[in-house]
Amino acid sequence: MAGDTPKRPLGRRRRNLHRAVLAAVVVLVAGTFVVWYAVQASRPDTYKTGEDHSDITRRLSRGVPAEAPDPQFVDVTDSAGLGGFRAFAGERSSQLPEDMGVGAAWGDYDGDGDDDLFLVSGGGPLTAPDDALARSELYTNLGDGTFSRDDSFPETRIRGMGAAWGDYDGDGDPDLVVSGYDALLLFLNDNGRMTLDERFVSRQGYWSGVSWSDFDRDGDLDLYVCGYVQYIPDVEGRERLSSQYGRKIPYTLNPSSYKPSPNLLFVNRGDGTFSEEAVARGVDNPAGRSLGGLWHDFNEDGWPDLYIANDISDNALYLNHDGQLKDSSHAAWVADYRGAMGLAAGDWNRDGDDDLFVTHWVAQENALYDSRRVDDGPEQPLHFVDRGAELGLGQIALRSVGWGSEFADFDSDGWLDLLVANGSTFEGEGEVPRLVPELPFLLWNDGKFFHDLAPFVETLSEPRVSRGLTVSDYDQDGDLDLLIVGLDPGPLLLRNDTVQGNWIQLRLRRNGHIEGSLVIADAGDAVHRRTVSGVSYLSQSSRRVHIGLGEADRLDSIEVRWPDGAVDTWSDLEAGRIWDVEQGGAAPSASRTSRAPLKVRSETGHPSELSREEFAEFWRRQRAAVRAMKVDMDRPKAIELFRSALELNPTHGDSLYFVANCLVDEGKLDEAMEHLSTLMKADPSSHRAFKRWGTLAAMNADSADEMDRAQDALERAVEINPEATGARMVLAETSIVRGDLEAGGQRLRWIQSTNPDAADALFLLGYVTWKKGDTAGAQELLRQAAKVGEEWLPEGAAAEGDTKTKMHRENTLLGSAYAVWNRTPDLDAAFAPVEKTVRRYQNM
């Protein structure tokens, strides 16, 4: 254009400069994007407890091997005499001491050779008077699989936590320490009679884990007591909320709200009295909110070391050098900074040194600190490496809050398995907030990896608010039984009926305590290590030594390293026996013959002869069926897989029961009833078979005769397990629909007296009362039922306390009438669905 000044072309140097600047800008922008993307990709998403997250919820699992055992654990809590124990009385007030839980301790306090049991009660809410608290109880093992409460034990109404047996006065009888909130008690044992030791003054404080050890090796037991936090009671504090993993947490339930409490070390003076020396010995751990202290000789120098589990603060390891305890937490690489609760130690991989397992809070994974002592050489400093994730113990625990834990060879194959109790600290929804239950872990060790078999055990497939966990062969049949304790609903004693490999047990005896004794046993190519120690969480397992031998039929040799440093060796001990081994004594004496050879066990207890190949194939099909039923929710696929499993083992209880439930869901009632009938014939003591068959028969009865047969089956279920309320509830419903209000009312009142929170029983009892013309009484029962409310059920397929994937949902005759009740107090409206159902049955 005329008048425009023509632009000068850029010179070559300037063009190159522009290109360089442009390239630099491009590189800078691209680099910034790459860095941003990498950070975002590596940064974990905000995790809300229970949500389905592709990274967090994925389990490290290689699939359960075909050679894994068939885990069989039977709930014997009621039949053993422990069903009446109360772990908590009253309603929570959402304060920390109410929720941290309780433990249990096995010990032969009466000297008759079997393990007796002390159960700690949490007592009740901080708002309750002391005389309203539930009692902690001592139970005597009667030797026939049952227990009797020792009524001579001093009445102990405290807000309890932990317990541990230890012969601190050196008279040959195990004494007992019990801890709790503002409670620390010692009980003297005088030939089986327990009395409170008045010389030991209980201290104010929040005392949690307790453990015994002769750490200075002067011949008597010293006591370590963990202090948790300096709690300040504050009912109103529950209204002050903070957020954790998407949950609203009351101020009074957050341990970070309170200063940590120092720990105590009571050094035994040798006369049964103590001097408290934690500060002087450097083990008061004032910055730690401590929940457990484990004495264990990790570096194997003959002196017990001390490892402390701390919540929301670094764990601590004190190595013992000739009685002097030195903090080696960071040097040994075990200053675990997560919220630690449960502790267990054992040589899981049989490499000659003891490893350390730690349970943690939600979203923190559990840890297995593998000892490097043998790998590095005993002359090198002690180190551990956390291998939990690679061994299948990490991501599986992300959803759970882990508590009690133990290494225990539950199938006697020669490898230490892991048992873990879980239970949330989060509150569920509802007018009365309750803690959320969770499922435990039964982690079978194949020598290289841990596989969770709990989903294959019916008694371990119900979530609980668990805390403590212990093991003991309480019935002395050669295998380790399991006790889980918690606040809701209380203790759970599971008898181990799993088919066992060969085994051997040792009762160590000496003129003094046995705490800290180490057994090293050779059996063929395997070397087994067992130490008399362990604290689990607030708990103490049996001090009898159990060693699974697999196919070996004897111990070639054993070496026992006693607490005073003395060493005894013996050889050629036959398997299948309980041996009494005495320090410096003659050859061990046996008290039991060997067990039956390895066979496949059905639920009936009658073994089915199968080859190992058939055994492995049966369990491949069975586990695939359970997965199809519970995980994939594919009922037709599950049915076919269960049928194929039954071709190999036609009377297996789980296969028969589960396939029947799947068939019911698919509308194939006749075939389902046939499978349940098969189970009833194969196992006349199967409570669940008679209850399920009777319930289905009653719901589908078309005549009085059919209803009679249904009631007969339900009566048989009650005979088998008189303590269970489910069959009684259905019997009450059958009485109501047949017009026998008196019988129905009696059964409902029994259920309500046994379980005051049975809202459905209160509802139907209201109906019975209404039909009898007592309007005021019926309205009061409806009010009570509405107050109790429905049990809280978490939403989502993978939430804490998951119930969405329950294997089946049992309907009953009048269960749907209660389910649709909208809490209206109007009697006509509330009971209209019941009336409709009753009319249908009365017209049959």
Side-chain angles (χ1 to χ4, degrees):
M1 181 181 295
D4 289 344
T5 303
K7 296 181 179 179
R8 294 179 57 187
L10 293 174
R12 185 172 61 183
R13 292 181 61 186
R14 294 184 65 187
R15 287 198 301 272
N16 290 340
L17 178 61
H18 277 221
R19 292 192 186 105
V21 170
L22 180 60
V25 170
V26 171
V27 170
L28 178 62
V29 171
T32 301
F33 175 78
V34 169
V35 171
W36 175 86
Y37 182 81
V39 170
Q40 294 300 317
S42 62
R43 178 181 297 165
D45 294 342
T46 301
Y47 173 57
K48 294 183 179 180
T49 305
E51 74 176 350
D52 190 6
H53 190 289
S54 60
D55 291 331
I56 291 178
T57 62
R58 178 177 54 88
R59 288 190 175 188
L60 283 177
S61 176
R62 304 176 183 178
V64 178
E67 64 271 17
D70 170 11
Q72 297 285 336
F73 286 87
V74 179
D75 181 359
V76 294
T77 310
D78 293 330
S79 61
L82 303 179
F85 179 78
R86 298 178 68 192
F88 197 86
E91 296 292 347
R92 300 168 54 254
S93 61
S94 295
Q95 299 192 71
L96 194 60
E98 300 166 353
D99 292 355
M100 294 306 291
V102 293
W106 293 99
D108 183 13
Y109 84 100
D110 55 5
D112 63 354
D114 50 30
D115 284 332
D116 308 299
L117 177 63
F118 185 79
L119 289 174
V120 184
S121 175
L126 265 64
T127 53
D130 289 350
D131 60 3
L133 302 177
R135 294 172 47 174
S136 298
E137 304 280 9
L138 175 60
Y139 289 88
T140 304
N141 191 335
L142 300 180
D144 60 357
T146 66
F147 296 83
S148 174
R149 187 176 67 185
D150 185 344
D151 291 327
S152 70
F153 186 81
E155 183 172 302
T156 305
R157 296 183 186 273
I158 61 173
R159 293 169 179 86
M161 290 194 71
W165 296 95
D167 182 14
Y168 67 86
D169 61 352
D171 65 352
D173 299 321
D175 310 298
L176 180 69
V177 59
V178 182
S179 66
Y181 180 69
D182 284 343
L184 187 58
L185 308 175
L186 279 179
F187 295 92
L188 271 170
N189 186 352
D190 183 13
N191 291 315
R193 184 169 183 83
M194 308 296 297
T195 58
L196 185 66
D197 190 343
E198 302 289 352
R199 299 170 299 176
F200 190 90
V201 179
S202 180
R203 299 184 177 218
Q204 297 291 299
Y206 194 164
W207 311 118
S208 52
V210 287
S211 52
W212 298 99
S213 176
D214 184 11
F215 82 96
D216 52 8
R217 283 179 45 173
D218 62 355
D220 46 41
L221 282 176
D222 311 297
L223 174 64
Y224 195 75
V225 179
C226 291
Y228 188 40
V229 298
Q230 300 177 41
Y231 186 77
I232 303 172
D234 179 13
V235 176
E236 302 302 323
R238 66 192 297 179
E239 304 301 328
R240 297 158 58 190
L241 303 176
S242 61
S243 180
Q244 294 178 342
Y245 296 102
R247 298 274 189 145
K248 297 300 182 182
I249 307 298
Y251 178 91
T252 49
L253 291 182
N254 188 346
S256 298
S257 303
Y258 307 97
K259 295 179 180 179
S261 175
N263 300 341
L264 307 175
L265 174 62
F266 292 96
V267 179
N268 198 326
R269 295 191 178 103
D271 59 359
T273 64
F274 299 87
S275 171
E276 201 288 295
E277 302 180 13
V279 175
R281 302 276 183 163
V283 291
D284 57 326
N285 194 218
R289 296 168 176 84
S290 302
L291 290 169
L294 170 67
W295 293 99
H296 198 94
D297 184 9
F298 287 106
N299 58 3
E300 209 165 317
D301 63 354
W303 295 83
D305 310 305
L306 176 63
Y307 189 78
I308 302 172
N310 288 323
D311 194 6
I312 57 173
S313 48
D314 286 359
N315 291 354
L317 171 65
Y318 297 95
L319 292 181
N320 190 343
H321 301 280
D322 299 331
Q324 302 299 312
L325 295 160
K326 179 183 177 182
D327 189 347
S328 304
S329 315
H330 292 276
W333 305 343
V334 288
D336 196 323
Y337 56 89
R338 292 167 282 188
M341 275 78 85
L343 298 174
D347 186 10
W348 76 274
N349 53 359
R350 299 198 319 214
D351 66 348
D353 49 31
D354 286 345
D355 313 298
L356 175 66
F357 180 73
V358 186
T359 60
H360 293 119
W361 198 55
V362 67
Q364 294 181 354
E365 297 194 351
N366 293 335
L368 178 56
Y369 287 104
D370 193 66
S371 175
R372 299 285 303 170
R373 190 185 67 83
V374 169
D375 303 86
D376 297 340
E379 70 283 354
Q380 297 297 318
L382 181 66
H383 292 126
F384 295 82
V385 176
D386 183 3
R387 298 184 58 196
E390 67 181 271
L391 296 173
L393 303 173
Q395 290 196 18
I396 191 175
L398 279 170
R399 296 184 177 282
S400 307
V401 180
W403 303 91
S405 58
E406 280 289 5
F407 281 109
D409 185 359
F410 77 84
D411 61 341
S412 297
D413 66 349
W415 296 93
L416 285 174
D417 310 301
L418 265 172
L419 310 170
V420 181
N422 296 316
S424 182
T425 56
F426 293 125
E427 294 180 327
E429 305 296 335
E431 182 179 342
V432 179
R434 302 181 185 276
L435 297 177
V436 178
E438 295 180 340
L439 298 172
F441 298 142
L442 177 65
L443 298 158
W444 178 68
N445 177 9
D446 66 3
K448 299 178 181 178
F449 197 80
F450 287 88
H451 307 269
D452 185 19
L453 302 186
F456 304 106
V457 184
E458 183 182 16
T459 52
L460 296 177
S461 296
E462 283 295 322
R464 302 169 66 88
V465 183
S466 300
R467 294 295 186 260
L469 178 148
T470 63
V471 295
S472 166
D473 182 14
Y474 78 94
D475 53 1
Q476 301 196 88
D477 64 350
D479 51 33
L480 292 175
D481 308 299
L482 173 62
L483 177 76
I484 299 176
V485 289
L487 296 171
D488 182 16
L492 176 68
L493 179 61
L494 299 177
R495 188 186 68 223
N496 187 354
D497 284 355
T498 306
V499 173
Q500 302 288 301
N502 288 321
W503 55 270
I504 202 165
Q505 292 187 14
L506 307 174
R507 277 195 292 244
L508 303 186
R509 304 185 184 278
R510 65 187 294 262
N511 185 22
H513 68 88
I514 64 170
E515 199 72 18
S517 300
L518 171 64
V519 175
I520 301 176
D522 292 329
D525 296 331
V527 178
H528 306 276
R529 297 166 52 89
R530 301 289 187 271
T531 302
V532 180
S533 69
V535 295
S536 183
Y537 176 74
L538 306 177
S539 301
Q540 185 183 69
S541 291
S542 173
R543 268 25 186 174
R544 187 189 306 168
V545 175
H546 173 274
I547 302 174
L549 302 177
E551 297 183 356
D553 61 0
R554 65 189 59 251
L555 283 182
D556 299 324
S557 66
I558 63 167
E559 175 183 300
V560 180
R561 301 179 187 177
W562 302 96
D564 61 1
V567 178
D568 285 321
T569 59
W570 292 275
S571 61
D572 197 27
L573 298 187
E574 184 182 354
R577 297 180 178 233
I578 300 172
W579 294 87
D580 290 321
V581 177
E582 187 171 355
Q583 181 177 0
S589 57
S591 59
R592 189 173 177 83
T593 58
S594 62
R595 200 174 193 179
L598 175 67
K599 292 180 180 179
V600 178
R601 185 192 298 267
S602 71
E603 183 188 87
T604 67
H606 302 297
S608 304
E609 296 288 356
L610 290 179
S611 68
R612 288 190 175 273
E613 292 75 16
E614 290 172 326
F615 176 79
E617 178 59 20
F618 167 78
W619 276 104
R620 186 193 68 77
R621 298 178 187 181
Q622 172 73 4
R623 290 183 177 118
V626 172
R627 179 176 181 83
M629 173 182 64
K630 191 174 182 181
V631 179
D632 301 335
M633 305 295 287
D634 187 340
R635 294 292 191 266
K637 179 180 178 182
I639 290 170
E640 293 308 311
L641 287 167
F642 279 126
R643 285 170 175 163
S644 67
L646 287 167
E647 291 174 0
L648 291 172
N649 193 349
T651 61
H652 192 272
D654 284 348
S655 298
L656 289 168
Y657 185 73
F658 292 152
V659 74
N661 289 323
C662 291
L663 288 164
V664 171
D665 291 343
E666 291 297 301
K668 301 178 180 180
L669 179 65
D670 291 342
E671 189 179 352
M673 300 285 279
E674 289 177 8
H675 282 87
L676 290 170
S677 296
T678 300
L679 178 53
M680 291 157 61
K681 293 175 183 177
D683 183 7
S685 64
S686 177
H687 170 268
R688 61 178 177 173
F690 283 93
K691 178 195 168 194
R692 187 72 167 131
W693 190 95
T695 302
L696 293 171
M699 291 179 64
N700 295 276
D702 290 325
S703 67
D705 289 342
E706 290 180 2
M707 187 64 82
D708 287 341
R709 287 193 291 272
Q711 288 184 316
D712 288 342
L714 292 165
E715 292 282 7
R716 173 59 184 153
V718 172
E719 290 176 9
I720 295 169
N721 189 352
E723 303 298 325
T725 60
R728 289 182 187 270
M729 187 68 185
V730 183
L731 276 171
E733 294 178 8
T734 61
S735 298
I736 291 171
V737 300
R738 303 189 84 174
D740 191 348
L741 297 179
E742 190 63 35
Q746 288 179 357
R747 290 185 169 114
L748 291 169
R749 280 188 288 273
W750 187 94
I751 294 170
Q752 197 274 328
S753 65
T754 303
N755 180 13
D757 291 341
D760 51 351
L762 287 167
F763 173 78
L764 288 180
L765 195 55
Y767 172 78
V768 171
T769 305
W770 178 60
K771 293 294 289 184
K772 290 183 175 182
D774 184 357
T775 302
Q779 287 179 330
E780 173 59 21
L781 287 164
L782 272 191
R783 187 193 66 80
Q784 293 179 32
K787 182 179 179 181
V788 173
E790 294 181 341
E791 293 184 1
W792 178 79
L793 297 178
E795 297 179 356
E800 291 185 331
D802 178 15
T803 58
K804 186 174 180 180
T805 56
K806 188 172 180 180
M807 295 181 194
H808 69 278
R809 297 182 182 275
E810 275 193 20
N811 295 319
T812 60
L813 289 77
L814 299 174
S816 59
Y818 167 72
V820 300
W821 176 45
N822 61 2
R823 303 303 186 265
T824 175
D826 183 280
L827 298 178
D828 290 330
F831 297 135
V834 184
E835 287 280 79
K836 180 179 179 181
T837 304
V838 169
R839 284 195 296 270
R840 181 177 72 82
Y841 278 99
Q842 290 180 345
N843 292 330
M844 67 181 182

